[in-house]
Structures are given as structure tokens and as C-alpha cells.
Amino acid sequence: MNNKTLRELANKRKIYIGAAVNPKLLETDRQYSGLLEKEFNMITPENAMKFWAVHPSEKKYTFKNADVLVRFTQKNQMQIRGHTLVWHKSIPDWVKTIHDEKKIKNIFEEHIREVAGHFKEKLYCWDVVNEAFADNGKLDKNSFWLNKLGPKHIELAFRIAHEVDQNSKLFYNEWGIEVINQKSNAVYEMVRDFTNQGVPIHGIGFQMHVGLGKNQMAEDVPEPGKLAINLKRFSDLGLEVHITEMDVQIQGLLGTQEERLCAQARVYRKILETCLHIPNFRALIQWGVTDKFSWIPSLAGKPDAPLIFDENYSPKPAYYALIEALA
Ligand code: XIL
């Protein structure tokens, strides 16, 4: 009978099992913080390090909430993934009202310096740039940063982050690149060029927002063989591989809730088992702590249960599936 926690099993394997965390809940909900301490050895801020959260106006930086997370991990011997320095979907309005491109460039550079500087020595890694590509493999034309600063802003962000913080591993993070497709090919070419040209990059984050059945708000669950081939080519570049934002939607599946939860458990298990065979795989993070606070219901507009702990913080079949994959 195995009654080790997820955290203990992950430690033994020298990998990280993590969850996206809300610092307000961490401070007010003992069950939430207790579950985190017990079951996880890594956390990431769901929102607390995003541009709008730490840099609400031009001259003002607010790190109070994100620092709650840092203290929590120091107290509990956990690691943090920093998320995220550059993401066009987390830019506050005050930035978007500026038109002078030189000024925008200064803000961009200063933001990275300040934020990476503040958390220097405290983070395991940074998602330096998040979601810069579109499905067709081109840079996302909706990106404010692309439109104002051009494609070179990605490389620039990595260079500045590394200049300020030489210890954190620097990641490119993206959704919908779990298998080989136009987008993952484009990301692959970019990060391969970065490694060839000495642009400081150390890892690649695969978000893994997936769903079973009929889902409009998620990627299909990747087939293990196809996932393995794709992850391996990134690992072969010498990059660390993280699953950074996993959730598995099930509201589109037919059958009973019990059947849905078992199908979901099989997905968690297969994904982790596949990853464990990838040489540079180091971390699997779920996007939330329990189903009670998952972002999926508000995104999809209907209830769901995409994580490994339920609304009452109890372990689901998916939790036991991860335990079995690690045991
Ligand atoms: C989401 C959060 O979960 C929400 O609370 C917020 O309203 C929007 O952002 N890809 C990412 C994450 O990289 O930062 C996003 O998080 C989910 C999609």
C-alpha cells in the first residue's frame, strides 16, 4: 500500500508537481494552503506576477501579493515558476494609451528589469514571453508588443531578463504546441535559433489546456505518441521541458460523472507517463489548486471539473492516477 503524497513521490523522482496559486486564498484559506504544502513542491502565480498586477501605473510597482507567494515557498521548501514578464494579454490600459514607440520600448525594458530584478534569486524560472504565436505559425498580429516593437522584442526580453537575473531559468511558454503543428514548428524554429545564437533560453513551457469530448475552449487531448515526438525534439535542443498550465475539461463528455472523472484520470496519467520518458522533463503544473477556483467555468461559461482536487479539496481519480504514474 502506497500512501506517499504527490510531493514526496515527485521529490524522489527529482521533478516538480505544481499548482497555479492565488495569494489571497493562500492567506485566508487554511485548507487551501495546507493542501499546497502537503501535495506540491512548486507553485506559480495564476495572476499575481502579470504586468497589470505588479505595474498598475507608470511609476508604480506593487509586489505585495506576489511576495506572499515567495515567502510561502521559502517557508515550505518549494519552488516558484515566475509567470510572466511579457504577455500581450496582461498589459494594463495605461500602457496601451501611449503612442510614442520609443517610450513604449523604454517601458517594456524597464518593466522587465524591475520585475526580474525584484524577484532575483527567488525564482526557479521565468516564463519570459508567453503566447507570442498564432495557430498559423506567424507571430500573433494581435500582440501590442509585436505591433509596437517588432519581432525582435522576444529576443530582447530574454536578453534583459538574463542580464538582471542570471540564476533563474528562462522559458518560452505557449498553448496549443503539445504536438507537431504549424505553431509548434514555428516555436521550435525560434528557440532553436535562440540556442544557436546564444540568446539565453533554458526551457519551454507547454500549457496543456486540454479537453475531452466536445469542447470549444480547449485543445484536444494529445495522443501520447505525438506528444512524445514533439516534446523530445525540444528536449533534444537541451531545453528543460515543463507542462505549465494543465487542466482537462470534461463537461463535453457523455456518460456519468464517474465515467468522466475516470476518463480524465487516464489523461492525467498518460500525459505524466509520457513526460517521464522525456530526458529534460522537470515539471508538471496544474492551472489552479482545486476545481472550486479553476478559471475554466468562467472561460467556458459552464461548470466543469478540470483539476486533480475537487470542490471540497478532496483528491479525484486524476490525483490517484498521478500518484500511480510516479510510484
Ligand atoms: C488566466 C487566469 O487563470 C485567469 O484568472 C485570468 O483572468 C486570465 O489568465 N494562459 C496563460 C495564463 O498563460 O496566464 C492564463 O491565466 C490562462 C491562459
Side-chain angles (χ1 to χ4, degrees), residues 158 170-172 190-191 194-195 198-204 238-239:
F158 278 88
L170 304 183
F171 275 64
Y172 179 77
M190 177 184 78
V191 299
F194 280 6
T195 52
V199 178
I201 183 166
H202 312 105
I204 171 103
L239 297 173

Side-chain angles (χ1 to χ4, degrees), residues 116-141:
H118 178 84
F119 293 106
K120 185 179 167 161
E121 320 266 304
K122 299 191 173 121
L123 307 182
Y124 179 83
C125 63
W126 263 118
D127 286 332
V128 178
V129 178
N130 194 32
E131 302 184 354
F133 282 88
D135 286 345
N136 63 7
K138 301 233 160 43
L139 288 171
D140 186 346
K141 59 179 180 1

Side-chain angles (χ1 to χ4, degrees), residues 144-293:
F144 174 85
W145 298 128
L146 175 69
N147 294 331
K148 300 294 175 185
L149 306 178
K152 281 272 181 192
H153 77 278
I154 300 178
E155 167 180 343
L156 179 64
F158 278 88
R159 291 195 189 278
I160 299 173
H162 187 64
E163 220 175 273
V164 177
D165 177 356
Q166 267 119 47
N167 292 324
S168 298
K169 299 179 195 238
L170 304 183
F171 275 64
Y172 179 77
N173 191 47
E174 185 63 90
W175 64 276
I177 58 161
E178 286 76 21
V179 297
I180 291 185
N181 56 33
Q182 283 181 310
K183 194 185 205 176
S184 68
N185 283 342
V187 171
Y188 178 78
E189 279 164 29
M190 177 184 78
V191 299
R192 187 197 52 204
D193 290 349
F194 280 6
T195 52
N196 287 338
Q197 292 157 11
V199 178
I201 183 166
H202 312 105
I204 171 103
F206 301 84
Q207 292 187 8
M208 198 68 78
H209 293 291
V210 297
L212 285 165
K214 284 198 188 319
N215 278 287
Q216 276 137 26
M217 302 310 292
E219 298 291 309
D220 289 340
V221 173
E223 278 174 38
K226 292 187 174 169
L227 175 65
I229 289 173
N230 187 48
L231 296 187
K232 175 131 191 326
R233 64 174 173 162
F234 286 92
S235 177
D236 286 346
L237 292 174
L239 297 173
E240 216 166 273
V241 169
H242 291 189
I243 303 299
T244 50
E245 306 186 11
M246 186 161 178
D247 39 32
V248 182
Q249 296 181 36
I250 51 173
Q251 89 277 355
L253 264 190
L254 298 172
T256 64
Q257 186 65 358
E258 202 184 329
E259 285 163 347
R260 290 192 194 105
L261 293 175
C262 288
Q264 178 182 58
R266 286 193 291 276
V267 173
Y268 272 96
R269 184 197 187 119
K270 267 281 155 234
I271 302 280
L272 180 55
E273 280 174 354
T274 304
C275 288
L276 289 172
H277 287 102
I278 303 298
N280 289 333
F281 167 71
R282 286 290 172 280
L284 184 148
I285 317 299
Q286 65 159 355
W287 203 245
V289 180
T290 86
D291 286 340
K292 189 172 175 187
F293 306 111

